[in-house]
Amino acid sequence: MDSKILCKAANEARGLAIDAIHKAGLGHLGLPLGCAEMGAALFSESLSFNPDQPRWINRDRFILSAGHGSMFLYGWLNLSGYDISIEDIKAFRQLHSKTPGHPEFLETPGVECTSGPLGQGIGNAVGFAISQKMAAKKFNTGDHTILDNHVICLAGDGCFQEGVAMEASAIAGHMGLDNLIIIFDSNDVTLDAMADVSQSEDVAKRYEAIGFNVCTIDGHNMDAVAEAVAGAKASDNGKPNLIIAKTEIGRGIKEVAGTNKAHGEGGAKFADTARPGLGLPEELFHVSDDVREFFAERKAEKLSQYAEWESVYNAWKAANPELASLLESAAAGERPSAEQCLEWIPEFDADANLPTRGASGKVLQPLAEALPLLTTGSADLFGSTKNYLENQGDLSRENYAGRNIWYGIREHAMGAVANGIAYDGLWITSGATFLTFSDYMRPSLRLAALAKLPVFHFFTHDSVGVGEDGPTHQPVETTSSLRVIPNMDVIRPGDPEETAAAVSMAIARKDGPTSLVLSRQNLPNQSEVPAADRRQGTLKGAYILKKESSDLKTIILATGSEVQHAVNAARELGDGVRVVSIPSFEVFDRQDADYRESVLPSGCTARVAIEAGVGDLWYKYVGLNGKVVSIDRFGLSAPGDQVMVELGMTAESVVEAVKSLG
């Protein structure tokens, strides 16, 4: 490496961070300044990428888990030739800029994932590493290697303190993800204080214990950084890698360097005094011509390396046209439509009364046969969540061709890892656990919705119908809490055919995550209505399951396991009652006004809804004068059918509510 020019580049990257944060009045200086030499080594020497094609399938994935240090990433992307200009740097944290406060997926070229909540990036990195291990096994051949990249994740003390990071790291060690390199920016500082106020563990020993190669280096020594990364890439012992890089936070601003005061924007006020020591002129946002020329030359070299890879890829493509078509369609984000998925799923027998979790398991099998890039996983609950893909193998260090991922009892890691697989964009992936434990996944679910990731989860045991396990396992508020996450589709099907449509919708969706909310207990198949009608109605979020046979007087709305009670109540109440099944609020709300009016005509205000959960969200459909039969308390430990009756989840309760409307 040319140490002289790279030292200059490191200081100019520091200057970009100082100037951008000072101009914005907010930001985090500590990491961009403390990791500047690491940035110089990584982006000049260690990382394989093509700035002109940021989503090149064989790039090294660089993930900034410590997303508060975003100016580190933006600065080096600018220097490396990505489509991030100095004007973009000047617009740091401003409205509609390409340089938001924390990195955001699809907002900035070169940003692999939306990182902000600490530790999430480590979980995402494990997902990327799994995705690429699986892809290499699927697409590389004996004659051509088209995928041999690495996943490099830069994380700080705060990331390692978050539990999700350790959960995900344990998965990486167990699966032998030797394509994963985590760099620990170890500066012994957290936001409030020096790190020893809140931690005393030996991170190296902890990671060695879970199966990582571990080395410790001086993070300001660029040769040491490059050698450590090269050694990790060359490692062939089947272990992921942790590089502990000792750094000084805020290096270059002597007034705060090495202290927790350097973490945020506090050091920016010393910019003028720091400039001479960093060799920077008075000009703000300065990058010298020789640094620009150096990185232009490095870009040319990287484009040449890309061209060499492209020739191998073209030979592989010519020899493997079917594999190439599959890979290119996946990389382009193509997915089958829900209608196409439904064509692969046989209709259920009319008397198929089974839990919707069981129905989803049956639905998955033909889909797995038709979709070779469909994967799933479970948090140690395959036997209960029923989403295991038969005859598709288990993912392990011995078998990266397996399509069932055993996450262990690690819901939070499952969410973050599944997000990482989805960010990588090659696999259709999902996870599974009990609905009540989705709370362990909430940060990952929220980020999936924010980043518009097409990932989905099977959340089973969806109500007080769980029964004897009692209130701790009986979600009453959880479905509603998922519904209020922007861009999250929540689908709670009421019978097997609605379930077939729900799973198809989750697979087909390209612009956000889906939560499938499924029952443990058997539900009757509403076979009086043609299966095609139930499937097509579910695709629209809501539909008329039972139409009135005389003038419309009352509408009963229901979802999931309570659809049966709505149907039974309508039979008792007579001819003027309509039953609307509404598996998904979000999907129904996206339909055009004419369709919504056809299902819920505004002229009929006598409305009752029933759901085994909190009822507040239903008032947007029943109106303030309507009634909601709901459960606005925690559950009970008793057989599930008894709990349902005790808490009013019956047809009789619906009939009583309708009659109370007058």
Side-chain angles (χ1 to χ4, degrees):
M1 291 191 297
D2 186 335
S3 297
K4 182 178 180 181
I5 193 67
L6 286 177
C7 284
K8 186 174 184 180
N11 282 334
E12 290 181 358
R14 288 185 169 103
L16 291 178
I18 291 170
D19 294 341
I21 291 168
H22 189 268
K23 183 175 185 292
L26 287 169
H28 298 82
L29 269 175
L31 185 149
L33 272 62
C35 293
E37 284 79 16
M38 280 198 281
L42 289 169
F43 283 88
S44 71
E45 182 78 14
S46 301
L47 296 177
S48 177
F49 57 86
N50 179 350
D52 294 340
Q53 294 194 35
R55 299 288 293 173
W56 170 35
I57 59 171
N58 198 39
R59 70 193 182 281
D60 285 340
R61 278 76 170 155
F62 178 77
I63 293 152
L64 181 65
S65 183
H68 57 272
S70 58
M71 265 309 305
F72 168 88
L73 183 54
Y74 301 149
W76 288 109
L77 291 175
N78 167 268
L79 291 174
S80 299
Y82 283 81
D83 184 20
I84 299 175
S85 67
I86 286 295
E87 292 305 311
D88 293 323
I89 299 291
K90 291 178 180 178
F92 178 59
R93 290 187 166 225
Q94 302 310 301
L95 185 65
H96 303 312
S97 79
K98 291 162 69 173
T99 51
H102 289 76
E104 294 182 32
F105 183 56
L106 298 181
E107 295 294 324
T108 312
V111 169
E112 298 284 0
C113 59
T114 298
S115 60
L118 295 178
Q120 282 285 329
I122 291 179
N124 297 160
V126 174
F128 275 98
I130 288 174
S131 173
Q132 284 301 303
K133 278 290 188 183
M134 296 173 70
K137 184 68 176 179
K138 180 73 176 177
F139 295 108
N140 287 343
T141 66
D143 294 326
H144 302 100
T145 297
I146 60 165
L147 296 171
D148 60 354
N149 55 74
H150 288 77
V151 180
I152 296 90
C153 176
L154 178 59
D157 285 281
C159 295
F160 286 91
Q161 286 194 1
E162 291 286 358
V164 64
M166 199 60 200
E167 287 185 31
S169 296
I171 292 171
H174 180 69
M175 290 189 176
L177 301 179
D178 52 14
N179 59 337
L180 174 65
I181 303 169
I182 301 176
I183 302 175
F184 175 18
D185 172 28
S186 179
N187 54 36
D188 301 320
V189 170
T190 61
L191 188 153
D192 269 352
M194 301 305 289
D196 60 7
V197 172
S198 58
Q199 68 183 35
S200 55
E201 69 268 27
D202 189 322
V203 174
K205 289 182 179 178
R206 184 168 65 164
Y207 270 77
E208 287 171 353
I210 60 171
F212 274 64
N213 299 314
V214 180
C215 70
T216 301
I217 63 170
D218 176 357
H220 299 296
N221 184 323
M222 290 180 289
D223 288 323
V225 173
E227 289 170 9
V229 174
K233 284 188 171 186
S235 174
D236 59 359
N237 63 354
K239 294 183 177 183
N241 302 274
L242 177 69
I243 299 171
I244 301 175
K246 302 301 296 184
T247 63
E248 180 184 45
I249 191 171
R251 175 169 282 210
I253 301 181
K254 63 181 181 180
E255 290 86 352
V256 298
T259 74
N260 65 295
K261 293 179 181 179
H263 176 86
E265 71 276 1
K269 63 185 177 183
F270 302 110
D272 290 342
T273 57
R275 282 183 178 283
L278 293 172
L280 299 174
E282 293 184 4
E283 174 195 352
L284 301 182
F285 299 97
H286 170 77
V287 178
S288 57
D289 290 342
D290 51 349
V291 167
R292 287 288 184 207
E293 290 171 4
F294 173 83
F295 276 97
E297 292 172 1
R298 294 299 294 128
K299 178 178 178 178
E301 292 172 11
K302 291 182 183 297
L303 294 181
S304 176
Q305 293 164 3
Y306 170 80
E308 293 176 6
W309 172 88
E310 192 173 35
S311 66
V312 175
Y313 179 83
N314 288 334
W316 169 84
K317 181 177 180 179
N320 304 278
E322 291 184 4
L323 276 180
S325 177
L326 180 64
L327 177 58
E328 290 179 358
S329 65
E334 296 178 11
R335 292 201 172 201
S337 67
E339 290 82 359
Q340 175 63 71
C341 289
L342 284 170
E343 290 181 9
W344 293 321
I345 304 169
E347 292 184 5
F348 287 83
D349 293 339
D351 59 353
N353 300 334
L354 69 163
T356 50
R357 64 166 176 162
S360 71
K362 292 181 181 297
V363 163
L364 275 175
Q365 305 317 314
L367 292 172
E369 292 294 333
L371 298 170
L373 300 183
L374 177 64
T375 71
T376 195
S378 188
D380 199 50
L381 287 168
F382 272 127
S384 294
T385 53
K386 306 299 183 184
N387 61 310
Y388 187 82
L389 304 181
E390 298 170 6
N391 305 315
Q392 303 302 333
D394 298 337
L395 183 71
S396 70
R397 64 169 64 228
E398 292 82 22
N399 181 28
Y400 291 123
R403 289 160 60 187
N404 292 288
I405 304 174
W406 295 69
Y407 283 107
I409 308 93
R410 304 183 182 99
E411 282 88 357
H412 198 176
M414 178 175 68
V417 171
N419 283 356
I421 296 172
Y423 279 123
D424 206 32
L426 299 180
W427 301 89
I428 301 171
T429 197
S430 60
T433 187
F434 293 173
L435 177 61
T436 193
F437 300 140
S438 68
D439 284 342
Y440 282 129
M441 302 170 60
R442 190 54 59 98
S444 299
L445 293 173
R446 181 177 183 273
L447 286 171
L450 194 159
K452 301 180 180 179
L453 295 179
V455 63
F456 61 101
H457 296 280
F458 298 88
F459 293 132
T460 68
H461 298 58
D462 70 343
S463 74
V464 297
V466 170
E468 291 88 344
D469 282 341
T472 61
H473 282 54
Q474 295 173 359
V476 291
E477 81 290 359
T478 315
T479 300
S480 285
S481 72
L482 291 171
R483 286 176 179 145
V484 300
I485 299 175
N487 200 40
M488 172 69 75
D489 279 1
V490 180
I491 312 177
R492 187 170 180 243
D495 81 344
E497 299 299 350
E498 288 191 357
T499 303
V503 175
S504 299
M505 294 159 71
I507 287 174
R509 191 175 184 210
K510 298 179 181 180
D511 60 354
T514 303
S515 293
L516 299 169
V517 178
L518 307 169
S519 74
R520 184 184 78 165
Q521 71 274 25
N522 286 347
L523 304 183
N525 194 8
Q526 300 294 330
S527 54
E528 291 183 6
V529 178
D533 291 352
R534 284 173 279 156
R535 290 181 172 198
Q536 290 302 312
T538 300
L539 295 185
K540 294 186 175 181
Y543 66 102
I544 301 170
L545 179 64
K546 183 180 184 301
K547 189 171 178 60
E548 66 281 1
S549 55
S550 64
D551 291 343
L552 178 61
K553 297 178 181 178
T554 306
I555 301 174
I556 303 173
L557 301 91
T559 188
S561 55
E562 290 68 67
V563 168
Q564 59 184 313
H565 303 314
V567 171
N568 291 335
R571 291 185 181 126
E572 181 176 340
L573 287 164
D575 298 340
V577 179
R578 172 183 294 189
V579 175
V580 171
S581 175
I582 179 163
S584 177
F585 291 13
E586 300 78 21
V587 176
F588 180 58
D589 291 347
R590 290 200 294 267
Q591 304 306 309
D592 62 50
D594 288 344
Y595 179 76
R596 286 184 278 118
E597 177 68 16
S598 73
V599 175
L600 296 175
S602 54
C604 181
T605 59
R607 303 182 184 185
V608 170
I610 178 171
E611 183 171 30
V614 297
D616 288 356
L617 295 184
W618 283 95
Y619 284 97
K620 70 176 178 175
Y621 297 123
V622 302
L624 295 179
N625 295 322
K627 299 284 186 180
V628 180
V629 180
S630 57
I631 300 175
D632 295 281
R633 51 156 291 178
F634 290 113
L636 301 163
S637 181
D641 55 350
Q642 295 179 25
V643 176
M644 284 289 202
V645 172
E646 179 72 14
L647 297 179
M649 291 298 105
T650 64
E652 290 74 20
S653 295
V654 176
V655 170
E656 182 180 341
V658 170
K659 290 180 177 179
S660 73
L661 294 176

